[in-house]
Amino acid sequence: QFALTQPASVSGSPGQSITVSCTGTSSDVGSFDFVSWYQQHPGKAPKLIIYDVSKRPSGISNRLSGSKSGNTASLTISGLQAEDEADYYCSSYTGSSTLYVFGTGTKVTVL
Amino acid sequence: QVQLVQSGTEVKKPGASMKVSCKASGYTFPNYGISWVRQAPGQGLEWMGWINPNSGNTFYAQNLQDRVTMTTDTSTSTAYMELRSLRSDDSAVYYCARKVRWELDSWGQGTLVTVSS
């Protein structure tokens, strides 16, 4: 099962900034601005936090931001807080028969 | 507010079929797609496919297209996902989610399905 590549874990201290990467190919992340990010707390459903690479849904903190360069998208969490401790998944439209793919997921730990 | 409420936990035997429902409220159901995503225990998210409730058109993940069928009932604003010939590795939490363009902006609470003999 094809998936976008994310680091397994990223950690930071409260108040710091961290960045989670999401690496795809020229057939998905590199070709389309349809990258989304989801936050998932244990035992809960995922929650959309970024869409179209860098847009935030209503109610999502401006401490979360998204960007893209080439085949790699990134999620930055600034001013890290305890509530940010969760799993994060990127996703992208692929434009191929695969159509849509998630990342492998990153566990963010607040030290 | 947008809400997706899924059916309850299921336990199935290998080779059986399962059908999960997802009742939508708080928006005009035909105007948004419904995607299905599953998550095996301790694993990541896997996109299964999506359905356009307005047209009934479906798009399935290649690895599931022989076993999965997604349908909707616009009269009750309910989406359904049927998976056949269940195997142990189909054990997972199954989620429905509202698809806007290519983002999934509202999710159901998840349905745990266990496949075991």
Side-chain angles (χ1 to χ4, degrees), chain B residues 11 15 29 50 70 111:
Chain B
V11 179
F29 183 68
W50 74 280
M70 297 175 188
T111 296

Side-chain angles (χ1 to χ4, degrees), chain A residues 1 38 40 52 97 100, chain B residues 39 47 62-63 101-102 104:
Chain A
Q1 182 75 6
Y38 302 88
Q40 186 180 34
D52 291 355
S97 57
Y100 195 75
Chain B
Q39 186 171 35
W47 182 76
Q62 284 187 302
N63 65 318
R101 283 198 304 172
W102 288 104
L104 307 178

Side-chain angles (χ1 to χ4, degrees), chain B residues 91-106:
Chain B
S91 295
V93 176
Y94 289 77
Y95 294 100
C96 63
R98 189 177 79 161
K99 173 185 174 292
V100 181
R101 283 198 304 172
W102 288 104
E103 70 271 20
L104 307 178
D105 72 338
S106 296

Side-chain angles (χ1 to χ4, degrees), chain B:
Chain B
Q1 74 284 14
V2 175
Q3 198 169 10
L4 300 173
V5 178
Q6 299 182 222
S7 49
T9 298
E10 297 197 31
V11 179
K12 296 292 183 181
K13 293 196 180 302
S17 297
M18 56 173 265
K19 192 170 187 176
V20 178
S21 68
C22 169
K23 184 169 177 59
S25 61
Y27 72 98
T28 303
F29 183 68
N31 289 1
Y32 297 85
I34 293 287
S35 270
W36 290 88
V37 176
R38 69 179 180 177
Q39 186 171 35
Q43 302 300 309
L45 303 175
E46 179 187 2
W47 182 76
M48 300 178 66
W50 74 280
I51 181 167
N52 180 331
N54 196 42
S55 65
N57 288 343
T58 54
F59 301 85
Y60 301 139
Q62 284 187 302
N63 65 318
L64 294 172
Q65 60 186 8
D66 293 338
R67 298 193 294 132
V68 69
T69 301
M70 297 175 188
T71 57
T72 58
D73 181 345
T74 54
S75 69
T76 60
S77 299
T78 303
Y80 299 92
M81 186 282 297
E82 180 183 33
L83 190 61
R84 301 175 294 277
S85 302
L86 291 170
R87 310 185 293 241
S88 57
D89 62 358
D90 291 318
S91 295
V93 176
Y94 289 77
Y95 294 100
C96 63
R98 189 177 79 161
K99 173 185 174 292
V100 181
R101 283 198 304 172
W102 288 104
E103 70 271 20
L104 307 178
D105 72 338
S106 296
W107 293 63
Q109 83 276 19
T111 296
L112 175 64
V113 176
T114 301
V115 181
S116 174
S117 54

Side-chain angles (χ1 to χ4, degrees), chain A:
Chain A
Q1 182 75 6
F2 170 70
L4 306 174
T5 301
Q6 299 181 231
S9 63
V10 173
S11 61
S13 300
Q16 286 187 326
S17 292
I18 61 166
T19 297
V20 179
S21 62
C22 168
T23 302
T25 70
S26 57
S27 298
D28 39 67
V29 174
S31 289
F32 304 98
D33 287 338
F34 293 131
V35 175
S36 300
W37 290 89
Y38 302 88
Q39 177 192 64
Q40 186 180 34
H41 287 107
K44 301 294 187 181
K47 176 183 178 182
L48 177 69
I49 56 173
I50 295 287
Y51 68 100
D52 291 355
V53 175
S54 60
K55 297 177 182 176
R56 278 187 306 273
S58 174
I60 298 301
S61 171
N62 60 9
R63 297 185 300 104
L64 278 62
S65 62
S67 62
K68 188 183 84 167
S69 178
N71 297 337
T72 298
S74 298
L75 170 71
T76 298
I77 306 175
S78 58
L80 200 59
Q81 299 179 0
E83 68 198 47
D84 299 325
E85 188 161 292
D87 293 326
Y88 291 81
Y89 295 90
C90 62
S91 69
S92 178
Y93 171 71
T94 72
S96 71
S97 57
T98 306
L99 205 60
Y100 195 75
V101 64
F102 283 102
T104 50
T106 298
K107 182 176 181 58
V108 168
T109 301
V110 181
L111 301 172

